[in-house]
Amino acid sequence: MALLNWRSPEHYDHTGDKPCVLCDKPTPLRSDRGKPVHKVCAEAWIDAHPPKENDK
């Protein structure tokens, strides 16, 4: 299982919760790209979508 390190303060949005892009439940967490997503949802998505050989 993928384990993400989200200890950086950039992964927490103090302005409030928004719906997770994967499960729709509220979360203050943000991905590296600024999308609202729970850490466990992101880890599960990574496991379900492994990179393809041609992906860079």
Side-chain angles (χ1 to χ4, degrees), residues 3 9 12 14 19-20 28 31 39 42 46-47 50-52:
L3 294 176
Y12 187 83
H14 293 280
C20 174
S31 71
K39 182 178 177 283
I46 290 169
D47 284 343
K52 294 185 172 76

Side-chain angles (χ1 to χ4, degrees), residues 32-53:
D32 289 341
R33 295 181 180 173
K35 303 289 183 186
V37 64
H38 297 103
K39 182 178 177 283
V40 294
C41 291
E43 291 168 342
W45 188 91
I46 290 169
D47 284 343
H49 300 88
K52 294 185 172 76
E53 199 171 307

Side-chain angles (χ1 to χ4, degrees), residues 4-43:
L4 299 171
N5 179 351
W6 281 12
R7 294 175 193 237
S8 172
E10 292 86 35
H11 290 287
Y12 187 83
D13 187 347
H14 293 280
T15 63
D17 290 354
K18 292 187 179 171
C20 174
V21 296
L22 298 173
C23 77
D24 275 339
K25 293 180 182 171
T27 181
L29 299 176
R30 302 296 182 260
S31 71
D32 289 341
R33 295 181 180 173
K35 303 289 183 186
V37 64
H38 297 103
K39 182 178 177 283
V40 294
C41 291
E43 291 168 342

